């Protein structure tokens, strides 16, 4: 902090070199004696006239904070009214305005206006807007989390129902299987008994046998049909069940706030100019600090000339849930910007961008 | 949508080609071998030693400027006319044409910068066997032998070059087709000829070449006694030293768009310069075969295949015949027009060739910086993001490039209305950073009635015609496309006018141009190019194919000059080229691949181009096809930073590869390589100025500077930039070290990074890490650098210089400093400064090399670094008008480096620094 302050002081002085070095002279900690300067890395002591004299003496560039002389030097833009920041020394007097207070072009042909106030205002307005968005976003997020709780319960209930239904169906199926077995046994027994009497009775008996056979078969067939219907229902049910289980297995965030997003297929069908392109959910790929800030879709529809499509989706805080942009910087590798309240993070608020301005 | 489907079709064709071959390599079957090119096959079948040609000495006429002589073919009695000129600067020109051709044969226009000035020839002696002429002052004679005809150029007792010594002169005279003409003029029989296939029609794959003019090939052989090394005849993906062709195809010169070209073979590529250099320790000579038709070059050597031991044995036994290289040129049509550049040194040959075809155009300084290209930067936002990426990662660059997708449906001179809706705004954004842009303009024009450029060309009749007289159409990026006839001067003038700011909408002065596909590339044409029977006015495409791309670049460069009112220097990159293309801009080695071998081959490919005048050469950094590993990409940046044209480029299908996408370590390595380029810009620019003045190559093989050291003759994994920097890039994967040959018996070389001194004439092993770029400064040289590397070269304009003075064992050094405004033609009006820097007798001084030139600079000398120095007790400086003052200095005894702190004089001043 101390170094920053002192550098800020002399580089913000744009009028004259002497003034820049003068301001430095006030900082006694840079000096062993009145007339020398110790490079910040401690590598060298140089006379104070050689500070900011447009020749690089210190390996670390510390003797030339106000000129372009040092290859690894940094120049401090005070940018009063906006955000102060460092630029590489190579941008001092290169004819391009970098600092909004114009301090980097004190000896060039560039006419740099001081734009700090405007920038600051714009930034403040922007930050305020962001803050409003954040507040609103966080409110919406809370709603979504609450809805998520309900939704989760609903889904869990659905899961329970489905499991119940499938169990019922399985039981019924089993029951019918038993019935069918029973009927088949009955039929066999009856037929055997009748066949054993085969002989004199002639036509009457034959007709009876024929009719009985018909009745028994019909019975078996009915059971068979029911079983088939049950089997189909069960397959459907299993399908729903596994879909739901898959969905529920996904990591929806700490408060299941992403539950409402339909992560497996979040993209509108007309996203790729009405081409049908499928992307398969991969994983969350945000930073350790913000794990849910980015998602990756992989193994999508094969790409012409090899490979498969993939997408990296960045989630940003906003009051609506919408895809803001899709880019394809390399072929079949999409980069998307997805805005949603659930990406709003209260942490942002604590960083206090306000106070810096 | 229509254009999309066209494009898809075109691309699909390419894709199919790639798939059918089953490998990621060129489909050789798409391109002709000599056997499949009927004239090559016919000519190559001729046996040496059976020349039917006889000189008719009685027809000889000798005027002050030329000798003419008739030759007769004793088999068919057809007569040829030989013209021989002695040109100023030790060049002999030999022209052979039919004495009375049925119709005129094509003679290549516009390549020679002027009608070459002649010198008088004189007759020394004559008898019935021949004539001896004097070739002026150099004690050179030309001996014309009558039977069989043969020319020998002799200096003292040495034969420099012999023509038709193997009797392979051949001239297929124009004739009427037998079945269409009843009158055979001289009643001779040509049954033997007529048996040959392909004289009146030739089919290759699905394409039939109608040959209304019949056979018209020409051929001539040259013997080069004492020569074991020949170079040149680009463009081939092959070694610097040309190989003998006895066991394969000849080297082919025929401008072709070769999809995924293969390395180390004689197949034709995008450009053709029919110039060969021959070198021995005694002499360098050159042959310039001025012919723009399809050409094949055979090379044989009597020492080829002999082992070193065999050669030694010959020497010991005294049985050795003189080493000799024989060369034979075969062209499909036109005339024999050959310039024998007789050296005697390589630099003389460069000067001789420059006097004929001109020198490298002097580019704007910014073009010597780094270029960032990709197929494609998708839209304005993308361009802005990439531009910002360079600033964020503190990597300098000067040019960002837009490939074909920036246009409105591949209609050149237009912008995609959605992706590039406000090009001026984009260009202004780039200009605000003092950077530039290049947009592609290809010569194939979309056939579309709603496209202004097409309508104009069609209505003016400027398109090349097909054999039936209609506008020639072929498939290229836009789908069906016409090809403007750039061989027409009026067409070129019109094309140039299209670059005016009010014609080419959305352009500004920081937009420059790239001509691709100008071989020309025709996706559905024979060998992916134009049908040979297409017509350029009275001439067939066959006659002038190789010069088409030359004209495209010529017209484009002219357009860029004109739009600025003749003030600004143009910058135009071309893929196809011919002799003389150096006058119009830069070339690159086309669609290479992200492979280590492709990185390696960039060196001999650019060296070969430099030898024939085209200095502004580079290869796509990173490789165009495929995706480079981080290691390959870094090594390629390190190599490209030390080659004249420094541009990264990538195919549409490859993942992004901007320098910061490979992790912080690789970003730092790439940044460092690019920064090294920028610190050396003053030296590079000076080299361009020198090349522009003299025609000498910028990137040059070692043998050019060390002509008597045979160890240098075949080196093509290292090279020199100018005279003073030797570069041996690391081009091997996983390399731990390289062995560089440092030439010069009494010389020393300084590692530019460590300042360590090494002796010359040794193979030096240099251990390398990923950050190593082995570069050495020659002891005895002074190199100016600008160490304050900024965002772009323009940002560094007024920056101070650091002079690196590398002392030789005699404790002397010499160098130059050149500066001008960096972008206009005002240097031609003597607005530049050119200083000679020399260190001698313990004094370093700067004197004016161009006292009649004026230029004021803001740049000053901030530092002087002496390599190989002794510790002085006192250093003082004296300028012309100031008092003598003492300079601070710092001496590092471990490296013998003396650094003078802030001498501070203006770079344009006279000054002397004394070391006591």
């Amino acid at each position: 902090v101390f170094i920053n302050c002192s550098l800020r002081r002399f580089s913000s002085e744009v009028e004259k070199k002497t003034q820049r070095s003068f301001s430095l002279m006030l900082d006694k900690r840079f000096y062993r004696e009145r007339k020398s300067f110790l490079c910040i890395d401690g590598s060298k002591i140089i006379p104070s006239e050689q500070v900011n004299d447009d020749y690089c003496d210190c390996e670390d560039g510390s003797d030339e904070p106000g000129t372009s002389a040092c290859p690894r030097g940094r120049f401090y833009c005070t940018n009063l009214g906006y955000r102060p920041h460092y630029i590489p020394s190579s941008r001092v007097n290169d004819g391009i305005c970098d600092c909004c207070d114009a301090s980097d072009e004190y000896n060039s042909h560039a006419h740099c206006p001081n734009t700090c106030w405007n920038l600051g205002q714009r930034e403040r307005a922007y930050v305020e807007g962001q803050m409003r968005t954040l507040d609103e976003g966080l409110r919406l997020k809370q709603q979504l989390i609450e809805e998520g709780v309900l939704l989760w319960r609903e889904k869990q209930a659905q899961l329970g129902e489905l499991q119940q239904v499938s169990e019922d169906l399985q039981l019924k199926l089993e029951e019918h299987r038993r019935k069918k077995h029973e009927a088949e046994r009955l039929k066999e027994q009856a037929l055997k008994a009748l066949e054993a009497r085969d002989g004199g009775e002639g036509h009457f008996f034959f007709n009876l046998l024929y009719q009985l056979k018909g009745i028994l078969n019909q019975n078996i067939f009915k059971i068979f049909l029911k079983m088939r219907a049950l089997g189909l229902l069960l397959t459907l049910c299993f399908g729903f069940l596994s879909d739901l289980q898959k969905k529920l297995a996904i990591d929806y965030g700490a408060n299941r706030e992403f539950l409402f997003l339909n992560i497996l297929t979040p993209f509108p069908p007309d996203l790729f100019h009405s081409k049908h392109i499928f992307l398969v959910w991969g994983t969350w790929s945000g930073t350790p600090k913000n794990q849910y800030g980015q998602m990756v879709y992989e193994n999508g529809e094969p790409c012409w000339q090899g490979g498969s499509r993939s997408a990296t989706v960045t989630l940003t805080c906003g009051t609506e849930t919408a895809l803001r942009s899709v880019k394809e910087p390399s072929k079949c590798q999409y980069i998307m910007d997805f805005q949603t309240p659930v990406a709003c993070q209260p942490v942002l608020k604590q960083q206090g961008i306000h106070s810096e301005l | 949508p229509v254009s999309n489907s066209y494009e898809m079709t075109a691309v699909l064709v390419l894709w199919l080609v790639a798939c059918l071959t089953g490998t990621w390599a060129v489909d050789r079957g798409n391109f002709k071998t000599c056997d499949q090119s009927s004239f090559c096959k016919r000519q190559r079948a001729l046996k040496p030693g059976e020349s039917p040609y006889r000189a008719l000495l009685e027809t000889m006429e000798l005027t002050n400027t030329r000798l003419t002589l008739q030759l007769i073919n004793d088999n068919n009695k057809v007569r040829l006319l030989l013209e021989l000129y002695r040109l100023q600067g030790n060049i002999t020109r030999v022209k052979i044409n039919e004495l009375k051709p049925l119709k005129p044969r094509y003679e290549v226009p516009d390549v020679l910068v002027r009608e070459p000035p002649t010198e008088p020839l004189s007759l020394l002696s004559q008898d019935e066997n021949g004539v001896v002429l004097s070739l002026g002052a150099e004690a050179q004679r030309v001996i014309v032998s009558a039977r069989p005809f043969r020319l020998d150029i002799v200096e003292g007792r040495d034969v420099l070059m012999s023509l038709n010594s193997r009797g392979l002169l051949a001239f297929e005279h124009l004739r009427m087709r037998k079945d269409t003409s009843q009158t055979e003029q001289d009643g001779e029989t040509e049954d033997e000829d007529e048996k040959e296939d392909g004289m009146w029609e030739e089919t290759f794959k699905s394409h039939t070449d109608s040959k209304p003019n019949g056979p018209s090939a020409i051929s001539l052989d040259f013997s080069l006694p004492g020569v074991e090394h020949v170079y040149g005849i680009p463009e081939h993906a092959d070694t610097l030293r040309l190989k003998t062709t006895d066991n394969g195809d000849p080297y082919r010169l025929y401008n072709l768009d070769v999809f995924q070209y293969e390395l180390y073979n004689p197949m034709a590529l995008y450009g053709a310069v029919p110039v060969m250099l021959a070198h021995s320790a005694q002499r360098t000579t050159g042959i310039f075969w001025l012919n723009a038709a399809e050409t094949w070059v055979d090379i044989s050597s009597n020492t080829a295949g002999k082992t070193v031991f065999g050669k030694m044995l010959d020497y010991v036994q005294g049985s050795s015949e003189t080493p000799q290289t024989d060369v034979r040129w075969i062209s499909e049509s036109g005339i024999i027009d050959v310039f024998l550049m007789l050296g005697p040194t390589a630099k003389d040959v460069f000067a001789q060739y420059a006097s004929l075809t001109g020198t490298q155009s002097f580019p704007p300084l910014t073009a010597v910086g780094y270029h960032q290209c990709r197929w494609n930067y998708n839209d304005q936002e993308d361009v802005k993001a990439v531009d910002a990426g360079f600033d964020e990662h503190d990597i300098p660059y000067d040019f960002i490039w837009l490939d074909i997708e920036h246009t409105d449906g591949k209609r050149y001179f237009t912008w995609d209305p959605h992706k590039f809706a406000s090009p001026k705004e984009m260009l202004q954004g780039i200009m605000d950073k003092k950077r530039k842009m290049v947009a592609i303009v290809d010569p194939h024009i979309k056939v579309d009635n709603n496209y202004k450029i097409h309508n104009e060309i069609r209505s003016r009749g400027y398109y090349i015609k097909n054999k039936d007289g209609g506008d020639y159409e072929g498939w290229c990026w836009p789908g069906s496309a016409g090809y403007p006839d750039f061989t027409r001067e009026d067409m070129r003038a019109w094309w140039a006018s299209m670059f005016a700011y009010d014609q080419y909408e959305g352009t500004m002065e920081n937009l420059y141009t790239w001509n691709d596909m100008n071989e020309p590339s025709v996706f559905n044409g024979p060998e992916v190019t134009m049908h040979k029977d297409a017509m350029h006015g009275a001439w067939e495409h066959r006659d002038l194919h190789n010069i088409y791309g030359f004209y495209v670049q010529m017209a484009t460069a002219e357009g860029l000059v004109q739009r600025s009112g003749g003030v600004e220097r143009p910058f135009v990159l071309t893929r196809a080229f011919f002799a003389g293309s150096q006058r119009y801009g830069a070339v690159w080695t086309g669609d290479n691949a992200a492979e280590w071998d492709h990185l390696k081959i960039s060196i001999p490919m650019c060296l070969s181009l430099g030898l024939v005048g085209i200095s502004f050469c580079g290869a796509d950094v990173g490789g165009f096809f495929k995706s480079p590993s981080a290691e390959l990409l870094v090594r390629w940046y390190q190599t490209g930073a030390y080659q004249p044209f420094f541009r990264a480029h990538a195919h549409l299908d490859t993942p992004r590869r901007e320098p910061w996408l490979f992790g912080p370590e690789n970003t730092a390595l790439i940044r460092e390589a690019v920064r090294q380029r920028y610190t050396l810009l003053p030296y590079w620019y000076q080299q361009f100025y020198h090349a522009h003045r003299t025609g000498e190559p910028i990137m040059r093989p070692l043998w050019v500077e060390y002509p008597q050291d045979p160890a240098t003759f075949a080196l093509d994994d290292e090279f020199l930039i100018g005279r003073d920097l030797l570069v041996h890039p690391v081009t091997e994967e996983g390399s731990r070290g390289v062995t560089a040959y440092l030439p010069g018996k009494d010389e020393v070389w300084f590692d530019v990074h460590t300042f360590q001194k090494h002796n010359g004439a040794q193979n030096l092993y240099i251990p390398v890490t990923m950050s190593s770029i082995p570069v050495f400064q020659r002891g005895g040289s002074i190199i100016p650098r600008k160490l304050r590397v900024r965002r772009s070269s323009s940002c560094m304009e007024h920056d101070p210089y650091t002079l690196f003075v590398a002392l030789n064992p005699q404790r002397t050094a010499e160098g130059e400093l050149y500066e001008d405004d960096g972008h206009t033609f005002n240097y031609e009006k003597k607005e530049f400064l050119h200083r000679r820097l020399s260190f001698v007798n313990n004094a370093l001084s700067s004197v004016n090399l161009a006292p009649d030139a004026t230029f004021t600079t803001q740049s000053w000398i901030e530092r002087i670094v002496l390599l190989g120095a002794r510790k002085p007790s006192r250093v003082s400086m004296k300028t012309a008008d100031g008092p003598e003052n003492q300079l601070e200095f710092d001496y590092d005894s471990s490296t013998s480096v003396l650094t003078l702190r802030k001498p501070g004089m203006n770079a344009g001043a006279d000054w002397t620094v004394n070391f006591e």
Side-chain angles (χ1 to χ4, degrees), chain B residues 850-869:
Chain B
D852 54 342
T854 53
F855 184 76
T856 47
T857 177
Q858 292 181 36
S859 298
W860 47 286
I861 312 294
E862 73 170 329
R863 191 182 291 105
I864 295 171
V865 181
L866 263 79
L867 311 181

Side-chain angles (χ1 to χ4, degrees), chain A residues 3-248:
Chain A
I3 290 165
N4 282 4
C5 289
S6 56
L7 292 182
R8 189 185 307 189
R9 195 177 311 156
F10 47 57
S11 54
S12 68
E13 293 287 332
V14 298
E15 296 82 8
K16 278 189 180 139
K17 284 191 206 165
T18 48
Q19 276 186 338
R20 279 196 300 279
S21 23
F22 180 73
S23 68
L24 184 94
M25 286 168 74
L26 300 174
D27 280 320
K28 290 195 176 135
R29 282 178 61 180
F30 280 104
Y31 294 80
R32 292 236 164 135
E33 302 163 18
R34 254 181 74 81
K35 287 196 160 181
S36 65
F37 171 85
L38 172 66
C39 300
I40 289 175
D41 65 1
S43 60
K44 206 172 175 185
I45 298 171
I46 58 167
S48 61
E49 306 88 74
Q50 294 186 359
V51 172
N52 271 336
D53 72 337
D54 207 14
Y55 184 88
C56 192
D57 292 286
C58 298
E59 196 68 25
D60 65 355
S62 58
D63 62 316
E64 297 292 319
T67 75
S68 61
C70 290
R72 276 158 202 86
R74 294 199 302 167
F75 179 89
Y76 186 77
C77 306
T78 308
N79 290 349
L80 213 66
Y82 186 57
R83 199 187 281 136
H85 71 109
Y86 285 100
I87 57 169
S89 289
S90 65
R91 294 181 197 171
V92 174
N93 293 326
D94 67 347
I96 300 169
C97 311
D98 291 286
C99 306
C100 64
D101 63 4
S103 56
D104 60 316
E105 295 300 315
Y106 59 83
N107 188 17
S108 84
H109 301 296
H111 298 291
C112 301
N114 188 323
T115 56
C116 290
W117 178 248
N118 284 342
L119 282 174
Q121 237 177 354
R122 219 184 299 162
E123 178 83 353
R124 277 185 291 274
Y126 174 75
V127 170
E128 273 160 30
Q130 288 292 92
M131 286 299 143
R132 275 196 300 277
T133 304
L134 186 57
D135 287 340
E136 176 66 5
L138 285 171
R139 196 181 59 76
L140 291 170
K141 183 178 178 180
Q142 194 52 43
Q143 264 179 27
L144 287 167
I145 289 172
E146 282 159 23
E147 281 168 28
V149 173
L150 297 179
L151 199 59
W152 182 255
R153 277 193 210 136
E154 204 179 289
K155 298 266 172 195
Q156 288 294 340
Q158 265 179 28
L159 184 69
E161 262 169 47
L162 275 171
Q163 277 166 340
Q164 188 57 53
V165 171
S166 76
E167 269 171 39
D168 289 354
L169 284 171
Q170 275 171 312
L171 283 175
K172 274 199 182 132
L173 196 63
E174 196 49 44
E175 191 190 317
H176 278 80
R177 200 170 283 142
R178 235 179 20 245
K179 274 187 188 165
K180 193 177 159 220
H181 197 69
E182 192 70 14
E184 275 165 350
R185 206 172 47 85
L186 198 68
K187 181 184 139 192
E188 244 167 73
Q189 278 179 352
L191 289 182
K192 254 184 205 158
L194 283 168
E195 271 165 19
R197 292 235 204 147
D198 203 7
E201 277 83 5
H203 271 293
F204 167 75
F205 212 81
F206 182 77
N207 276 344
L208 189 66
L209 183 65
Y210 186 76
Q211 277 174 16
L212 187 64
K213 211 175 175 179
I215 292 163
L216 289 172
N217 271 343
Q218 224 168 22
N219 197 20
I220 292 171
F221 188 63
K222 265 185 199 158
I223 298 170
F224 171 74
L225 280 181
K226 270 194 182 167
M227 278 176 70
R228 240 177 93 166
L230 283 170
L232 273 171
L233 280 174
L234 196 61
T235 314
L236 269 173
C237 192
F238 277 149
F240 287 135
L241 201 57
S242 88
D243 274 2
L244 192 58
Q245 277 167 337
K246 221 187 275 171
K247 270 187 193 166
L248 292 178

Side-chain angles (χ1 to χ4, degrees), chain B residues 202-262:
Chain B
E202 182 173 345
T203 299
F204 177 67
K205 304 196 94 174
S206 61
H207 299 283
T208 298
D209 175 14
S210 73
K211 295 183 172 178
N213 296 324
S216 57
I218 55 169
S219 161
L220 182 59
D221 66 275
F222 302 79
S223 293
L224 302 159
V227 170
E228 289 183 89
H229 293 81
V230 287
Y231 310 93
I233 54 169
E235 181 177 15
H236 300 99
D238 208 349
T239 51
L240 172 66
R241 182 194 180 181
L242 297 171
K243 294 167 182 150
T244 57
T245 57
D246 302 315
N247 299 318
D249 258 10
Y251 283 97
R252 189 183 188 202
L253 293 172
Y254 191 56
N255 295 358
L256 291 175
D257 178 3
V258 182
F259 184 71
Q260 291 171 350
Y261 59 79
E262 229 177 79

